[in-house]
Amino acid sequence: MSVWQLCTNIHGVAPIRACNQTEPKAPARTRPRVSPQLNRWSRARSIRSGRKLDRPVPRTQTLESTPATSPPPPSHPFSPPLDSDYADTLDGGAESTASKTIYIVSDGTGWTAEHCVNAALGQFDYCLVDHGCPVNTHLFSGIDDAEKLLEIVKQAAKEGALLVYTLADPSMASSANQACNLWGVPSTDVLGPITDAISSHLGVSPSGLPRGASGRSFPLSDDYFRRIEAVEFTIKQDDGASPGNLDKADIVLTGVSRTGKTPLSIYLAQKGYKVANVPIVMGVQIPRTLFQVDQKKVFGLTINPVVLQSIRKARAKTMGLTPESRTNYFDMDYVRGELEFAGKLFAQNPSWPVIDVTEKAIEETAAVVLRLFHDRKHKCTMPRISKRY
């Protein structure tokens, strides 16, 4: 089915019934049916971004009463029906919205496209952190039907969203490109260019099938079972549990509370590494096995005290604690003292690399850990003094 036919099916209006501006009155049009689920998603994003939700007001103005200085956009035989909402999209809307929207569309899990978008958004932290240019993203995964795809593109046109897609099927990718061009939706094909480059380099054609599609089989390999075993081990070794098993770990993380030991451990475990983490708490004895294991496995984590205090305050709030509670968990003097205590421990063990996790994503910290881990494993030169990364 062509994009033209699907546009007709979605909107219920054939291209030959496009608006004729020479007639005295515009023919009555039925509003195109938009997915209720997409509307709910749009409304939820608006609420999260703090946008005011106005109820649509029906327009009584006819096409003839449109000022000559602002003529309606010319009709295209493939264009969607020019209803009032869509006209707002073409004209830029009655009022500009504070936040921008990015639609992420995939015929698989969407992991690739989502991580590419997040990596690109990382280049705009200077305006995202202080909400100078807030962005909302939404992932549409498992989109393997052209009609669903075009419905999403139409919604993107109404919201003025950017569409980023990874579609393995060339016909689906072509449909997305055509629909975006017809409806004026800015778009980026993440998977297509690199797939074409690899195909040209290898001299073979890609399968065009998304991951998980029927016809593609992924046998359970040794690597799969190794990752499962690593996750199970890491969960059992969380927060200093079973210190006698530290020698079985590939990587041992240590640091004060709320330095990200657990999420970092789980992330590394999903890559197949057995990870144990040991908390550092003032007044609590450190397990002796931490100093008995291969010291090349041990990595220290530290963080800025102000950031740590804010994280602990948020954690205490979720636990129902208040500033009046009798706890020094998020007291600044205690936070600084605990970090100083950890710093002295790191200085006494100069073979432990110390990684500052302040303003680092889990993926960034993991990349540092794995680089140092493999450098040591392959006996690359390492400094004999504690070094911060």
Side-chain angles (χ1 to χ4, degrees):
M1 184 180 293
S2 67
V3 173
W4 185 358
Q5 292 171 319
L6 284 170
C7 290
T8 301
N9 290 343
I10 290 177
H11 301 295
V13 180
I16 60 174
R17 293 184 60 188
C19 171
N20 186 352
Q21 300 178 20
T22 61
E23 295 181 2
K25 288 186 178 181
R29 296 183 182 86
T30 58
R31 289 175 61 86
R33 181 176 60 84
V34 182
S35 167
Q37 187 176 16
L38 286 175
N39 278 335
R40 288 195 297 272
W41 284 329
S42 175
R43 190 175 183 84
R45 283 192 301 276
S46 298
I47 293 173
R48 287 197 299 270
S49 62
R51 251 189 291 165
K52 182 179 179 182
L53 293 175
D54 296 323
R55 294 185 180 277
V57 179
R59 293 186 177 185
T60 57
Q61 186 179 19
T62 60
L63 290 176
E64 289 77 16
S65 62
T66 304
T69 56
S70 301
S75 177
H76 189 285
F78 296 146
S79 298
L82 192 60
D83 68 331
S84 60
D85 288 340
Y86 194 75
D88 278 344
T89 302
L90 295 176
D91 295 336
E95 57 183 43
S96 60
T97 57
S99 61
K100 299 291 185 179
T101 303
I102 300 176
Y103 277 13
I104 304 171
V105 181
S106 172
D107 49 13
T109 62
W111 188 95
T112 301
E114 188 173 33
H115 280 68
C116 286
V117 168
N118 288 336
L121 287 175
Q123 299 298 313
F124 303 92
D125 283 345
Y126 64 92
C127 70
L128 293 175
V129 172
D130 60 2
H131 303 290
C133 50
V135 175
N136 293 320
T137 62
H138 187 77
L139 172 64
F140 298 88
S141 59
I143 304 301
D144 55 1
D145 179 79
E147 188 169 352
K148 294 179 183 177
L149 172 63
L150 295 180
E151 194 172 80
I152 293 170
V153 175
K154 196 243 179 201
Q155 186 72 13
K158 293 183 68 175
E159 291 195 22
L162 166 68
L163 190 83
V164 178
Y165 58 92
T166 51
L167 300 167
D169 186 347
S171 64
M172 286 284 289
S174 177
S175 296
N177 182 53
Q178 291 181 44
C180 288
N181 288 337
L182 292 176
W183 292 341
V185 176
S187 63
T188 297
D189 181 2
V190 174
L191 191 61
I194 190 171
T195 301
D196 292 342
I198 293 175
S199 174
S200 176
H201 182 66
L202 298 179
V204 295
S205 300
S207 66
L209 296 174
R211 293 181 64 88
S214 57
R216 289 191 68 178
S217 60
F218 294 92
L220 300 180
S221 61
D222 293 339
D223 179 67
Y224 170 82
F225 290 106
R226 181 169 59 87
R227 286 188 287 117
I228 296 298
E229 184 180 356
V231 171
E232 292 177 346
F233 176 88
T234 300
I235 292 174
K236 293 178 181 178
Q237 298 298 132
D238 186 39
D239 203 26
S242 304
N245 291 330
L246 291 183
D247 61 324
K248 299 178 181 178
D250 299 315
I251 296 171
V252 179
L253 305 175
T254 185
V256 301
S257 174
R258 300 291 113 188
T259 49
K261 298 185 299 296
T262 297
L264 178 59
S265 298
I266 297 298
Y267 182 86
L268 293 170
Q270 292 174 342
K271 292 182 173 293
Y273 300 92
K274 294 180 180 180
V275 185
N277 71 77
V278 178
I280 297 175
V281 183
M282 283 197 304
V284 178
Q285 186 177 2
I286 305 295
R288 288 181 298 175
T289 49
L290 179 62
F291 309 102
Q292 295 171 352
V293 299
D294 183 356
Q295 297 296 281
K296 294 179 181 179
K297 297 180 178 181
V298 185
F299 296 82
L301 303 180
T302 190
I303 191 172
N304 179 278
V306 177
V307 175
L308 179 58
Q309 183 191 37
S310 64
I311 294 174
R312 288 189 174 185
K313 281 184 176 180
R315 172 61 174 169
K317 187 176 180 180
T318 62
M319 297 172 64
L321 300 177
T322 63
E324 293 76 22
S325 301
R326 293 185 177 180
T327 177
N328 56 5
Y329 181 65
F330 49 80
D331 180 74
M332 178 53 78
D333 290 337
Y334 181 79
V335 169
R336 291 186 185 277
E338 202 166 46
L339 286 172
E340 290 175 2
F341 176 74
K344 291 177 181 178
L345 179 64
F346 296 152
Q348 294 169 5
N349 296 272
S351 61
W352 299 355
V354 181
I355 303 170
D356 190 340
V357 301
T358 306
E359 296 183 351
K360 277 190 175 72
I362 295 297
E363 296 86 351
E364 293 175 302
T365 306
V368 175
V369 170
L370 292 179
R371 175 172 61 83
L372 297 175
F373 173 78
H374 288 291
D375 283 348
R376 289 181 163 191
K377 188 175 181 179
H378 295 97
K379 298 182 179 180
C380 295
T381 303
M382 289 292 295
R384 294 304 302 166
I385 59 172
S386 182
K387 184 177 180 182
R388 290 179 180 262
Y389 297 85

